[in-house]
Amino acid sequence: MSRLHPALLYLTIYNPTLHPSEEVSKDDEDAEEQAQILFYSSQERATSRDKMLRQVGLAKALVNFSEIFHPTDSCHNVHSQSRRMIMLNPEPDFWIHAAVELAKTPRTLLPKPKDKGKGNGKGKGKEKEKASTLQPSYDYHEGSFHEYALRAHLLRGYEQFKLTHGSFTSILNSFGQEALELQLERFFTVWAWSWDLSKSFELNDDLGLSLHPLYPSILPLLDTFSSQLPAGLDALFLSPPHVVPSTGYRQSNYPPALSRHLLSLIPRHLPHHEADGGPEASSPAEKGATANTAAKEVGSGGNPSSGFLGMPSSLAMSMDVRNWSWPGALTFGKGAEPKSPVTEREGMKPNPSVAESVSTIVEVDRGALGDAISSADIHCLLEKANDGLSVTDPDATREGCSDMDHSGDTPRPSRVPSPLPADDSSTSPPEPEKPDRHRQLDFACTFVFLPESGDPLETRRRQVIHLRCQSLAVALIADADNVEDYDTHVISEATSQMLHDIENLIAAEATRASEILPSATKILQPKDNYLISFDHFTAASPDFVAKSDYLYNGKQLLEQGLHITEVFSRGQQPQHWHVSKRDNTGGEEREVFLEVARKETSLSDVDNILQRFQSYSF
């Protein structure tokens, strides 16, 4: 049987302290309960009012019941056989509640033995059997996902809403309940049903964004750049999927959703020609070869898969629709004699030799032919003739120009040298492009809502400046309300210089890494993977993705009890060590997660490895 992935059943946001805006009857308790629901979205297309109130009422009852035993720590999650119920309290009196169904597999039903009772008994047995077939049973998988991953994802959704719209409290106090319900509907409807629960959760994403592998080397360049900026600007370097926060950015204590949101605005794989402002210029010989190949396919009866009416896209896109009314324009060479549009429109007599050249292939010296045609004739031909070839194709243009009759057998001298050399093989290869520190940067602005220093629920609209060059970018969080308050020219020059230095640094490191050959022992020996989290940023081993439930359990234990500082665990198959530890050495709190894949490693060896990774400085 095929396994069905986990699925979100419903998502709701409510505030139990809200009341109806209009007067309602005291006997209508449902109106009071419904006024407290700010947002509701269900997997079912249509959900009755009673069912919605029952689901929200159950969440309220679970929270109230748990507060009887723990007034300061209310209920956060409930486990059942088929689902997980998560309750999140991001702001005072505001609750986000989600129900997620576990992964399940349809259960195979064995045929039941026939009932040998009386006739009435047989009828009842058939009715029960039909009822059981209408409701299939499933086997639910307990370890489909970890509850910490669900809570972390819900919290990231709230932080993203708060960053782009403002906090729940600020919107409710400033614009009212109706405006808050509208903002929640627009955001969380799209967010909830774009949540792909079939993908496995990664602890790396839950802990924070990944720092650049060259973070220790890039940070001095970024701090030097920040010192050249006007006061009130904090810099963040972005290179998807990595970031490098400046020292001033980390000291400002921005929410982790800010760097995640800014990173999502940068494309991960940007083509080189788009960064330069246009398509890369290919050599004329390559363009001519492409056009000639397409022309041969059409002439030989080829049937390319792409293009309008089975024609190659290079020909279909260059056809002029205005010429379709000409005689024989859409006959594709059937039932009509080939005519030269130029000679027909200007009254020129066709040359017999030209008519013969239509059905024969003649080897022509392109260099000599290019010298024989003047630039005036080329422009005249491009304006008056439309032979189905791209006007950017110099070779195809020259072939079209050969159909014209230049009064006499002696060609006129060329006034413009040929753009193509006589010998294509003598063309020197293009030199590699060197990075230019004065190149143009892409400039953009966006707005976010950031909390004030005193109250995290009071958010204020702030402006962010983006300066991007290819896939590298710098985000500047401005304290002023208008970007015009800063000298953008000075900022652009300093940014261009810093990105140029970082590109050289990355290229030098790539060259150095390619020259180092690892030994056979390093290749064959299993590597010890680590994941270090600090200040909502992470640093991890290359290509290490933390998906183990042991690491999730260790993270959850570190959060639940402050007296727990480290958790050691070892699996059975495979026998890998997993360590989770909270470290406060050096005045900075960090969490270290370690995975040791060597079977013969003892507990003391794991502790020595952990001490080595703890000494890493960032």
Side-chain angles (χ1 to χ4, degrees):
M1 290 289 181
S2 60
R3 172 173 171 171
L4 302 179
H5 296 294
L8 177 65
L9 297 179
Y10 61 87
L11 175 68
T12 180
I13 301 174
Y14 64 92
N15 187 336
T17 62
L18 297 178
H19 300 283
S21 57
E22 301 177 356
E23 293 185 2
V24 295
S25 175
K26 295 182 179 180
D27 298 333
D28 190 2
E29 297 180 356
D30 291 346
E32 292 280 346
E33 297 292 333
Q34 190 173 0
Q36 300 174 1
I37 302 175
L38 299 172
F39 169 78
Y40 180 86
S41 182
S42 174
Q43 189 182 40
E44 302 175 358
R45 293 187 177 181
T47 305
S48 63
R49 176 186 177 185
D50 294 338
K51 186 175 182 179
M52 178 177 63
L53 294 178
R54 285 198 307 268
Q55 292 172 348
V56 177
L58 177 60
K60 295 179 184 177
L62 291 173
V63 171
N64 295 334
F65 179 75
S66 62
E67 288 180 350
I68 298 176
F69 304 97
H70 300 280
T72 58
D73 188 12
S74 58
C75 176
H76 296 295
N77 56 79
V78 176
H79 291 204
S80 67
Q81 181 183 2
S82 61
R83 65 179 61 182
R84 295 288 182 269
M85 301 175 63
I86 307 297
M87 278 73 77
L88 183 65
N89 183 212
E91 298 181 16
D93 299 328
F94 285 94
W95 289 87
I96 300 177
H97 170 50
V100 180
E101 188 179 29
L102 297 174
K104 57 186 180 180
T105 304
R107 184 181 302 169
T108 57
L109 298 177
L110 298 177
K112 297 182 179 180
K114 295 182 179 181
D115 191 1
K116 298 182 180 180
K118 297 181 180 181
N120 295 336
K122 289 183 180 179
K124 293 181 179 178
K126 289 182 179 180
E127 292 179 0
K128 291 181 180 180
E129 185 177 354
K130 289 181 180 180
S132 62
T133 56
L134 295 177
Q135 297 179 356
S137 58
Y138 297 94
D139 291 326
Y140 292 93
H141 302 273
E142 181 74 17
S144 302
F145 45 77
H146 202 278
E147 60 187 38
Y148 175 82
L150 294 179
R151 290 181 53 81
H153 189 83
L154 287 176
L155 186 58
R156 287 203 302 270
Y158 161 75
E159 291 290 347
Q160 185 178 354
F161 175 87
K162 180 180 176 181
L163 185 74
T164 54
H165 297 80
S167 64
F168 296 164
T169 304
S170 62
I171 298 176
L172 183 63
N173 296 336
S174 302
F175 305 102
Q177 181 176 345
E178 185 176 354
L180 176 59
E181 292 177 357
L182 179 61
Q183 296 290 348
L184 294 176
E185 182 74 23
R186 290 178 177 177
F187 178 84
F188 279 100
T189 301
V190 179
W191 178 87
W193 303 116
S194 61
W195 185 5
D196 189 4
L197 286 165
S198 62
K199 295 182 179 179
S200 59
F201 293 94
E202 300 177 2
L203 187 59
N204 309 52
D205 296 336
D206 299 334
L207 296 179
L209 290 179
S210 173
L211 293 175
H212 199 279
L214 300 179
Y215 170 76
S217 303
I218 296 177
L219 182 59
L221 299 176
L222 188 60
D223 287 341
T224 303
F225 163 75
S226 301
S227 63
Q228 302 173 1
L229 298 176
L233 290 177
D234 296 325
L236 176 69
F237 173 72
L238 306 167
S239 177
H242 307 291
V243 298
V244 176
S246 63
T247 304
Y249 182 92
R250 295 182 59 185
Q251 292 175 352
S252 299
N253 295 323
Y254 291 112
L258 176 60
S259 55
R260 192 181 300 272
H261 175 69
L262 296 178
L263 187 64
S264 65
L265 303 179
I266 308 300
R268 292 193 174 220
H269 303 287
L270 186 67
H272 182 68
H273 62 270
E274 292 184 6
D276 296 336
E280 282 192 36
S282 58
S283 62
E286 295 176 355
K287 293 182 179 180
T290 305
N292 294 338
T293 303
K296 289 179 182 179
E297 291 178 359
V298 175
S300 60
N303 185 20
S305 59
S306 61
F308 176 67
L309 295 178
M311 293 184 297
S313 58
S314 59
L315 297 182
M317 295 302 294
S318 59
M319 293 187 74
D320 192 353
V321 181
R322 296 171 297 178
N323 299 344
W324 287 7
S325 60
W326 293 1
L330 294 177
T331 58
F332 301 100
K334 295 182 180 181
E337 296 179 2
K339 297 180 180 180
S340 174
V342 179
T343 57
E344 186 178 17
R345 292 173 61 183
E346 295 186 0
M348 299 177 62
K349 297 181 179 181
N351 194 338
S353 61
V354 176
E356 295 177 359
S357 64
V358 175
S359 59
T360 59
I361 299 176
V362 183
E363 295 292 333
V364 181
D365 188 354
R366 294 184 179 181
L369 183 62
D371 295 334
I373 300 175
S374 63
S375 61
D377 293 333
I378 294 176
H379 292 297
C380 177
L381 178 62
L382 295 179
E383 293 175 358
K384 297 182 179 181
N386 187 359
D387 54 355
L389 295 178
S390 176
V391 296
T392 60
D393 186 356
D395 294 339
T397 304
R398 296 189 186 91
E399 292 177 4
C401 291
S402 63
D403 295 342
M404 298 182 59
D405 185 11
H406 298 287
S407 58
D409 297 335
T410 306
R412 293 182 297 173
S414 175
R415 294 193 295 268
V416 180
S418 173
L420 279 179
D423 187 9
D424 294 343
S425 61
S426 62
T427 305
S428 58
E431 297 181 358
E433 183 182 358
K434 297 181 179 179
D436 183 13
R437 66 184 184 91
H438 298 290
R439 57 191 163 188
Q440 189 69 22
L441 300 177
D442 294 336
F443 181 87
C445 292
T446 185
F447 293 92
V448 296
F449 290 86
L450 297 177
E452 297 293 336
S453 57
D455 188 1
L457 300 181
E458 292 295 330
T459 55
R460 184 169 67 93
R461 194 166 179 254
R462 301 275 293 274
Q463 195 168 19
V464 180
I465 307 171
H466 287 267
L467 294 169
R468 180 174 63 85
C469 178
Q470 297 184 18
S471 60
L472 304 181
V474 174
L476 304 176
I477 295 86
D479 193 15
D481 296 333
N482 197 347
V483 180
E484 296 179 357
D485 297 340
Y486 301 103
D487 190 351
T488 56
H489 179 72
V490 175
I491 296 175
S492 178
E493 288 291 330
T495 304
S496 181
Q497 178 63 44
M498 185 199 64
L499 293 180
H500 176 73
D501 296 339
I502 293 178
E503 282 185 347
N504 293 337
L505 177 65
I506 296 175
E509 181 63 24
T511 304
R512 187 190 67 83
S514 62
E515 296 175 351
I516 300 176
L517 297 177
S519 61
T521 306
K522 274 190 173 182
I523 297 175
L524 298 177
Q525 184 179 7
K527 297 181 179 179
D528 301 328
N529 296 316
Y530 68 90
L531 174 63
I532 302 176
S533 170
F534 61 97
D535 200 14
H536 304 297
F537 296 99
T538 62
S541 302
D543 302 328
F544 174 57
V545 179
K547 298 181 180 181
S548 175
D549 288 339
Y550 295 103
L551 296 179
Y552 269 111
N553 292 333
K555 171 62 178 176
Q556 191 172 12
L557 289 174
L558 293 179
E559 285 193 348
Q560 289 179 354
L562 297 177
H563 60 280
I564 301 176
T565 58
E566 56 184 10
V567 179
F568 289 80
S569 58
R570 188 176 190 181
Q572 294 294 332
Q573 294 294 335
Q575 297 182 1
H576 293 174
W577 283 96
H578 298 87
V579 183
S580 305
K581 183 173 183 178
R582 183 190 297 112
D583 183 23
N584 295 324
T585 58
E588 183 180 31
E589 183 176 350
R590 63 172 66 181
E591 294 177 344
V592 183
F593 302 90
L594 180 64
E595 182 181 83
V596 181
R598 288 172 291 172
K599 184 177 179 179
E600 68 280 357
T601 308
S602 62
L603 181 59
S604 59
D605 296 333
V606 174
D607 188 64
N608 293 333
I609 297 172
L610 182 62
Q611 295 297 330
R612 186 176 76 249
F613 286 123
Q614 282 184 237
S615 61
Y616 281 10
S617 59
F618 299 97

